[in-house]
Amino acid sequence: MHIFRAVTKMRTKVTRSKAGLAPFVTLTVLWPLCAQNPATDTHQITLERILAQPSLSGELLQQVHWNPSGMRVAWLQTSPKSADPRSHGSPVAEIEVIDVSNAQRSVLVSGDKIRAALEAAAPPRHTEDDRRHPAPPPQLTGFAWAGDRALLLITPTSLVWLELDSGRTRVLVSGADAITDASPSPDGRFAGFIRDHALWLTSASTGETRRLTPAGSNELCEGEPDWPYRNDLGLDRAYWWSPDSSKIAYLETDDRATGKYRLRFADGHESAMVYPLPGSALPVVRLYVQAVSGGQRRAIDSGNAVYLPRVSWTPDSSHLAVERLDRSQKVLDLLLADPASGRSRAILTDKNPYWINLDDGPHFLRDSSRFVWSTERSGYRHLYLYDTTGRELAQLTSGEWEVTAVDAVYEGSGDASGLVYFTAARQSPAGLPGIERQVNQVALDGSGLKAVTGQPGTHEAVFSPSAQFFVDTFSTAAAPPRRALLRADGSEVAAINENPAPALAGYKLPAVEFLTVTMHMGSKVNAIMIRPPDFDPSRKYPVIVYVAGGPGEQVVRDMWGGDTFLWLRMMAQKGYVIYAQDGHGTAGRGHVFDEPVHLRFSSQEMSDQRDAVFYLLSLPYVDASRVGIYGWGYGGFLALHGMLDLPIAYKAGIAGAPITDWRLYDAVFAERYLEDPVRNQDGYLNSMPIENAKNLRGPLLIVQGTTDERVHIENSLELLNELLETAKYPSVMFVPDRGNVFEDHEARLALYRAMTEFFVRNL
């Protein structure tokens, strides 16, 4: 879990509590020292520059969307704040487009046009004060193609229809009430959205708006994912248009019996969120189908479903494909359901003795009777072709590497022809499996496997609906991401965003080196090292070990690491050796590699970390008395184990948002790996770092956002209480009104300063 990975809006203003007291923040007073005299370099990077604009990571274009015909791709281009008083100093957004037929780039919708359209959707001005001091218009947060000739402009409170040929706009939804998850129908006649926890429809031609589902509430969501579904099961939206636009399938999520957690903010107000703890009641989910024209909703029989994490339609709109996952998350059924009768049948079952890692579901061919399915039954995720009777028609991929995404399916004129495009960790440098991501293709009969992209690094593809073109986002550990429009064979049509980040070249940033380290049982793990500029192997250097760890995480990747890695490289400039590795339990090397964390966290990971320390101490340039450890989230949890578990190899450590008691974590994640907290009580207890709080002997900095929605503050408070009882006094940094991710500049700068000064003082 990384500090700045998520994109959630954080509160930036700190106010006094109702009692008139300042929010509780304990900050250790630190002072800058030098680990040792770094090489003289007038181009050393600073924290202020890492977090300043323009970003050293460059600026990627946002909201990349293909039109339905696959001939144009558009994106949101945001410019710096406008001087136009009508914009109230807000950034200016426009929508740009490339036509794949001629590679011509143009402005599809100008900033002036967007501003005028959104001003019409602003809340009415009822009072004289409103008219004298009007609120700024809603800010464009997204858009979607509605057919090839219209766009849906999306703000947090409004929807505006824009006809591209005439330029006419129509406000469909406006007001002060928040709306989310907006999506136009495939035929462009309607748009769906969530308001007041229910699914609504609005007509593109008339603007008539009506609620399609029963009324929702905080505890009964109609077509809206609750917190566990959105954050742990990866469900961005909980309703699905049928391809013919006549019906909508949606989830009803009943959280009335599910546990709640209350976030308390600095001004005293509280906000409740759904957060089931391990072993407690989970959300009850039901799947319904509703005709757009109205009438009674139809319940889909999903048996005794605990989780329904994936739902999709067949291309002919005749059936729903529904994934059903049991509570143990070891058995996954694929159901095929009739939306007219509600009846369903299981067409295949995937079982795993450890746990099931979800993907994005089946990919149906246009005949609606065949689909591409991925499974980890071999120990690695691979692709298979099935029919709707559950019969396997072909195995498409195999080998000791994993498919990470199915990108598109291209079908030719005949039943036997066609290609599957997918991203995989197949091509990587010798001895470093899984550090790259490349786009590949394979025929539907399993023949003709070959790479589409080839430039070493990480590629992420967004294919056109026709699967003849794709937008490639590409980066390496040395170069920020860039975007290009490519043909399906990998040849370039046009550059979309070169993203040069010219300021980056002005700094003498040390390189990220990839290496392989052998563990004591003979297995090999991928690792990275960043050494100081003008490195001298005859000198002794302190080391910072960066740990991320945990299922689904992978830090050793040939990809741009953003602010976190810029900070690590800055620390290398200050004279530290930086080391990180992907031990057992991390992603990128198949299910066989992450299985060792089953039933107990930290045991296998810390065994690997101890081997890493032995490796580091074998290097003549490492100062054995000055090795530190740092991690965030799951990495913070491992950093605590590093500072508390005997034998202790680290002089100092930083634990950000650390999980200290998995019984306080959310049920979906914890039960997936640790299973039931009663049956596996020992596994939960042995995973808790606080059991060894008495062993703390080196400087420890704990950082925690007070309104962290994922790792609740009770984790840090429980640890602090245990440390106080054993007369141990760590440094603590509580950051008011921030969550698991710090996004605002002030909090990020304070955090990085505290971490930098902590290591400079203690290592």
Side-chain angles (χ1 to χ4, degrees):
M1 300 176 187
H2 302 290
I3 307 175
F4 305 127
R5 183 180 58 182
V7 283
T8 53
K9 186 176 180 181
M10 300 296 165
R11 294 162 56 92
T12 59
K13 183 179 180 182
V14 178
T15 58
R16 293 182 179 272
S17 67
K18 291 181 177 179
L21 301 175
F24 175 61
V25 181
T26 304
L27 278 168
T28 305
V29 179
L30 308 170
W31 53 88
L33 301 170
C34 288
Q36 59 187 51
N37 294 327
T40 301
D41 185 0
T42 58
H43 292 86
Q44 281 204 344
I45 199 168
T46 65
L47 289 177
E48 290 75 13
R49 183 61 195 92
I50 289 174
L51 300 177
Q53 296 297 325
S55 170
L56 292 177
S57 296
E59 297 295 339
L60 274 184
L61 307 172
Q62 303 172 12
Q63 300 267 337
V64 176
H65 298 300
W66 285 94
N67 70 341
S69 67
M71 294 306 295
R72 293 197 290 178
V73 60
W75 59 87
L76 192 61
Q77 173 75 62
T78 303
S79 303
K81 293 183 178 180
S82 170
D84 189 331
R86 294 175 300 170
S87 70
H88 298 265
S90 300
V92 177
E94 64 182 17
I95 298 172
E96 297 186 0
V97 67
I98 282 184
D99 188 320
V100 301
S101 64
N102 55 22
Q104 292 298 307
R105 178 172 179 164
S106 61
V107 175
L108 184 64
V109 187
S110 70
D112 287 342
K113 184 69 175 178
I114 291 174
R115 183 170 52 244
L118 299 187
E119 283 178 348
R125 301 165 187 172
H126 296 294
T127 67
E128 184 62 28
D129 188 61
D130 288 339
R131 287 185 281 272
R132 289 180 179 176
H133 306 286
Q139 291 300 301
L140 186 70
T141 54
F143 74 96
W145 289 92
D148 284 339
R149 299 183 177 276
L151 295 178
L152 182 67
L153 305 182
I154 303 167
T155 84
T157 58
S158 59
L159 299 177
V160 178
W161 200 263
L162 189 153
E163 296 177 4
L164 295 174
D165 292 339
S166 66
R168 290 194 298 267
T169 61
R170 181 181 302 109
V171 177
L172 303 181
V173 180
S174 64
D177 294 334
I179 62 174
T180 61
D181 304 345
S183 174
S185 60
D187 63 8
R189 296 176 57 225
F190 297 94
F193 63 95
I194 300 298
R195 184 169 63 191
D196 297 329
H197 307 291
L199 175 59
W200 295 68
L201 284 189
T202 182
S203 168
S205 59
T206 66
E208 177 187 357
T209 300
R210 57 190 170 92
R211 194 180 69 232
L212 188 70
T213 65
S217 69
N218 288 331
E219 295 187 321
L220 188 65
C221 299
E222 304 284 355
E224 177 187 37
D226 65 358
W227 194 93
Y229 266 76
R230 198 182 290 272
N231 290 273
D232 280 317
L233 296 173
L235 200 62
D236 294 330
R237 196 171 66 236
Y239 70 92
W240 300 269
W241 287 98
S242 63
D244 64 6
S245 301
S246 67
K247 299 176 287 292
I248 292 182
Y250 68 91
L251 283 184
E252 178 184 79
T253 308
D254 187 344
D255 287 312
R256 286 173 288 192
T258 310
K260 313 297 190 300
Y261 180 80
R262 302 191 73 84
L263 298 169
R264 184 176 177 85
F265 293 86
D267 63 3
H269 88 274
E270 296 183 349
S271 175
M273 59 178 289
V274 174
Y275 198 90
L277 296 177
S280 68
L282 296 175
V284 177
V285 290
R286 305 175 186 88
L287 181 62
Y288 292 96
V289 173
Q290 176 67 64
V292 172
S293 59
Q296 292 293 317
R297 62 180 182 173
R298 170 71 66 182
I300 299 298
D301 179 14
S302 57
N304 296 319
V306 176
Y307 299 112
L308 297 176
R310 300 289 182 268
V311 178
S312 61
W313 288 89
T314 57
D316 63 3
S317 301
S318 66
H319 288 86
L320 282 165
V322 183
E323 291 189 9
R324 179 179 63 195
L325 185 65
D326 73 332
R327 179 154 190 166
S328 74
Q329 302 183 56
K330 296 180 179 182
V331 180
L332 178 71
D333 297 314
L334 179 62
L335 309 179
L336 198 64
D338 178 0
S341 67
R343 290 191 294 270
S344 66
R345 57 185 175 90
I347 57 176
L348 63 84
T349 298
D350 208 357
K351 295 182 179 181
N352 192 283
Y354 299 98
W355 68 84
I356 296 282
N357 288 314
L358 292 170
D359 71 343
D360 57 356
H363 291 255
F364 277 86
L365 277 60
R366 63 187 175 210
D367 61 13
S368 296
S369 64
R370 295 174 296 159
F371 59 94
V372 176
W373 179 254
S374 76
T375 174
E376 293 179 307
R377 68 190 185 202
S378 68
Y380 298 86
R381 184 169 297 281
H382 282 295
L383 304 181
Y384 301 79
L385 185 66
Y386 278 87
D387 66 18
T388 51
T389 69
R391 180 169 60 102
E392 181 184 320
L393 303 178
Q395 180 171 353
L396 306 184
T397 63
S398 62
E400 294 185 355
W401 49 270
E402 68 172 9
V403 173
T404 57
V406 177
D407 299 315
V409 178
Y410 171 77
E411 296 186 70
S413 57
D415 290 340
S417 60
L419 297 171
V420 179
Y421 294 98
F422 62 94
T423 302
R426 184 170 76 96
Q427 303 93 335
S428 288
L432 290 165
I435 72 166
E436 292 189 7
R437 298 291 186 272
Q438 300 285 348
V439 181
N440 298 262
Q441 70 176 50
V442 66
L444 286 172
D445 62 2
S447 66
L449 173 65
K450 68 176 184 178
V452 173
T453 56
Q455 193 171 359
T458 294
H459 298 261
E460 182 180 350
V462 179
F463 269 77
S464 65
S466 63
Q468 294 178 300
F469 301 90
F470 67 97
V471 174
D472 177 37
T473 302
F474 167 73
S475 73
T476 69
R482 62 177 291 270
R483 281 202 174 115
L485 174 62
L486 306 184
R487 299 177 184 87
D489 63 4
S491 60
E492 184 169 310
V493 177
I496 295 178
N497 183 205
E498 292 286 1
N499 199 25
L504 192 64
Y507 298 94
K508 189 179 179 181
L509 292 178
V512 177
E513 307 170 41
F514 294 91
L515 61 150
T516 301
V517 177
T518 302
M519 303 289 98
H520 73 279
M521 294 297 289
S523 61
K524 297 180 183 295
V525 303
N526 296 333
I528 58 169
M529 185 175 288
I530 308 173
R531 291 185 281 192
D534 303 322
F535 171 76
D536 182 352
S538 68
R539 299 172 66 179
K540 291 287 188 179
Y541 294 89
V543 178
I544 297 173
V545 176
Y546 172 51
V547 288
E553 292 289 340
Q554 186 182 3
V555 68
V556 183
R557 290 275 302 276
D558 191 6
M559 66 178 293
W560 185 247
D563 291 352
T564 298
F565 268 70
L566 286 173
W567 177 74
L568 292 172
R569 293 164 88 175
M570 184 198 78
M571 295 304 288
Q573 284 188 334
K574 291 181 179 293
Y576 295 89
V577 169
I578 308 299
Y579 177 86
Q581 70 179 27
D582 283 332
H584 294 85
T586 54
R589 297 180 62 179
H591 204 6
V592 293
F593 193 75
D594 62 24
E595 288 166 0
V597 301
H598 185 230
L599 295 179
R600 181 178 175 182
F601 288 146
S602 79
S603 178
Q604 179 65 57
E605 295 109 314
M606 294 315 299
S607 174
D608 290 345
Q609 289 296 332
R610 284 189 286 274
D611 287 344
V613 171
F614 291 144
Y615 162 73
L616 290 169
L617 298 186
S618 73
L619 302 175
Y621 51 83
V622 166
D623 186 338
S625 66
R626 293 193 291 166
V627 179
I629 188 170
Y630 155 65
W632 194 272
Y634 197 103
F637 157 74
L638 294 179
L640 283 181
H641 276 285
M643 293 297 295
L644 302 178
D645 293 358
L646 297 176
I648 297 172
Y650 305 98
K651 180 184 179 184
I654 299 175
I659 302 100
T660 64
D661 187 342
W662 289 99
R663 296 170 302 182
L664 300 178
Y665 208 66
D666 79 88
V668 181
F669 184 94
E671 291 180 8
R672 182 183 301 143
Y673 309 108
L674 298 179
E675 299 189 5
D676 182 82
V678 175
R679 291 194 299 270
N680 187 32
Q681 183 178 15
D682 288 347
Y684 277 81
L685 293 176
N686 291 331
S687 298
M688 294 167 57
I690 60 175
E691 295 293 302
N692 294 319
K694 62 183 182 295
N695 297 331
L696 179 66
R697 66 187 186 202
L700 171 65
L701 172 62
I702 299 168
V703 184
Q704 177 75 54
T706 62
T707 52
D708 190 330
E709 72 287 349
R710 185 174 287 276
V711 183
H712 299 154
I713 194 171
E714 284 80 1
N715 283 270
S716 290
L717 295 177
E718 189 175 279
L719 171 65
L720 291 175
N721 187 58
E722 192 72 21
L723 289 169
L724 289 173
E725 289 184 1
T726 57
K728 308 291 184 179
Y729 307 106
S731 302
V732 181
M733 180 178 178
F734 284 153
V735 186
D737 291 4
R738 269 64 172 192
N740 192 252
V741 176
F742 297 175
E743 281 231 332
D744 61 286
H745 180 271
E746 294 82 3
R748 295 164 73 190
L749 185 59
L751 172 64
Y752 274 139
R753 279 178 175 165
M755 295 195 309
T756 302
E757 293 168 358
F758 177 85
F759 276 134
V760 167
R761 179 186 181 188
N762 293 295
L763 286 183

